[in-house]
Amino acid sequence: MTSPSPLVELHHPLFDKFDVRVSIKRDDLIHPIISGNKWRKLKYNLLTAKSNAKEGIVSFGGAYSNHIHALAYACKLKGLKSVGTIRGEPHYSDNATLSQAASFGMTFDFVSRKEYRERAEPMYLQQLQKKYPNYLIVPEGGSNQLALQGVSEVVTELKQQTNWDYLLTPVGSGGTIAGLLSAADQGSQVIGVSVLKQEGYLEQEVCALLATIGVQAKNWQVVNQYHCGGYAKFTQKDQQQMIEFAKQLDIPLEPIYSGKLILAFFDMLQNHYFQPNSHIILLHTGGLQGLKGLAEQSKIKASEWPWLPALQAQ
């Protein structure tokens, strides 16, 4: 594991034009497989499972879930069994993400979309716990109280690395931004870039997660206009912009999380969102393995993403 994750200063003509300093926290470099916020969120869940002598961990995700992929490998490292409750059909087990998760030792329960929507309901969780009595059940995306403790360490590391005014992160389930807020000073702003269509859902999730640790934060917001059509959706134009920015900044991106973060950041910069002479931190939350699944589904052209061949070789 690479800890603390590197903080890299970025350079672009627009940064000089708008008089800002920009750095990126490379959480994607924490581990080649368990990268980014997935490792942060899983760290204390894994420790809890081990300290309570659990047999394994059960969690939830879609057929191309970064969380499921990371969980499978993390459990393998820690000597734990893993079960993925997967939204979709059994034939998905052959895809790039799940086939690799299976090679790490994960087994799957495939469920309908209707059943998957019940994944947070108490009665459903009680039945699941009966089915796996000595397993720790972890929510979709790993976002629970234990996850906040792990993500808060991003801020702990940053405080040792630099001073900053704004911290931007992509947001999918709310756990990452809630974890950042649990440790961030009130003098800095934390901004979440929603990667899915939502009307206040993520804000509610973040508040609910913060309530579990008794934190009330005011120095944050979720911006909702940069989802590019919804979760895992994006146009060819969006892709080309992401790839161009990635090449200019010399940072590998993917179009579901980090790519949308970059598009949001540059648009906000050009619309004078950030105060001059400020230091902006972008959090790279990993998820690069998702490129393999997108290429498999023909949602992207592998030849257009220069760093994809290295990922496919893993």
Side-chain angles (χ1 to χ4, degrees):
M1 296 294 175
T2 300
S3 181
S5 63
L7 184 69
V8 179
E9 186 158 1
L10 300 177
H11 301 281
H12 192 279
L14 286 174
F15 304 165
D16 296 327
K17 178 181 178 180
F18 290 97
D19 190 23
V20 294
R21 181 183 170 202
V22 182
S23 301
I24 188 164
K25 179 76 166 157
R26 293 291 305 272
D27 265 17
D28 58 305
L29 297 178
I30 288 176
H31 187 277
I33 296 176
I34 325 166
S35 74
N37 62 345
K38 302 311 173 191
W39 168 247
R40 302 280 190 186
K41 292 188 200 178
L42 288 173
K43 178 179 178 180
Y44 290 101
N45 279 289
L46 292 163
L47 289 171
T48 296
K50 291 293 287 186
S51 64
N52 287 283
K54 296 294 185 182
E55 186 178 348
I57 294 178
V58 182
S59 195
F60 310 85
Y64 290 92
S65 166
N66 291 323
H67 165 66
I68 288 293
H69 184 268
L71 175 65
Y73 192 81
C75 285
K76 176 185 177 181
L77 285 183
K78 297 297 182 181
L80 294 164
K81 294 181 180 179
S82 60
V83 178
T85 302
I86 307 299
R87 181 186 66 246
E89 304 295 329
H91 66 81
Y92 288 141
S93 60
D94 294 330
N95 75 30
T97 298
L98 296 188
S99 62
Q100 197 164 33
S103 75
F104 301 149
M106 178 174 275
T107 58
F108 307 117
D109 288 332
F110 290 92
V111 300
S112 67
R113 289 182 177 275
K114 180 180 179 182
E115 182 175 343
Y116 193 80
R117 284 194 290 269
E118 298 175 5
R119 63 192 179 278
E121 297 298 324
M123 188 171 295
Y124 182 84
L125 292 172
Q126 289 172 13
Q127 293 300 315
L128 188 62
Q129 195 72 80
K130 287 181 181 178
K131 185 176 181 180
Y132 298 101
N134 196 33
Y135 280 62
L136 178 67
I137 299 175
V138 174
E140 181 181 47
S143 294
N144 58 10
Q145 186 174 340
L146 291 169
L148 305 191
Q149 186 178 353
V151 176
S152 73
E153 293 175 355
V154 172
V155 177
T156 303
E157 292 176 12
L158 279 171
K159 287 178 178 178
Q160 296 170 351
Q161 292 171 316
T162 191
N163 296 315
W164 76 95
D165 302 290
Y166 303 91
L167 176 56
L168 277 68
T169 181
V171 181
S173 60
T176 298
I177 188 172
L180 297 174
L181 288 167
S182 72
D185 296 330
Q186 291 296 314
S188 57
Q189 289 191 48
V190 180
I191 301 166
V193 176
S194 175
V195 302
L196 63 151
K197 278 186 179 180
Q198 57 98 26
E199 294 294 336
Y201 164 77
L202 283 174
E203 288 86 346
Q204 293 173 16
E205 290 294 300
V206 172
C207 290
L209 285 165
L210 289 174
T212 67
I213 56 172
V215 170
Q216 288 185 329
K218 297 181 179 179
N219 57 326
W220 67 283
Q221 66 166 313
V222 174
V223 292
N224 295 303
Q225 65 269 43
Y226 301 106
H227 53 70
C228 300
Y231 183 75
K233 294 184 178 180
F234 42 85
T235 66
Q236 184 62 30
K237 180 181 177 182
D238 295 329
Q239 283 191 65
Q240 292 306 315
Q241 287 183 309
M242 293 172 190
I243 293 167
E244 188 61 31
F245 284 137
K247 290 177 179 177
Q248 291 170 357
L249 301 174
D250 194 24
I251 298 291
L253 302 174
E254 45 69 49
I256 299 179
Y257 294 97
S258 56
K260 292 181 181 181
L261 172 69
I262 289 294
L263 293 189
F265 163 64
F266 273 97
D267 185 73
M268 294 168 73
L269 178 65
Q270 292 176 85
N271 281 285
H272 304 276
Y273 181 92
F274 306 104
Q275 290 293 321
N277 199 34
S278 59
H279 188 191
I280 304 157
I281 306 292
L282 308 176
L283 178 60
H284 196 315
T285 54
L288 293 171
Q289 77 84 27
L291 284 167
K292 293 182 283 187
L294 293 170
E296 185 178 76
Q297 300 171 81
S298 299
K299 290 187 175 181
I300 64 171
K301 292 181 180 179
S303 60
E304 295 180 347
W305 299 80
W307 43 93
L308 181 53
L311 294 167
Q312 291 173 323
Q314 291 178 358

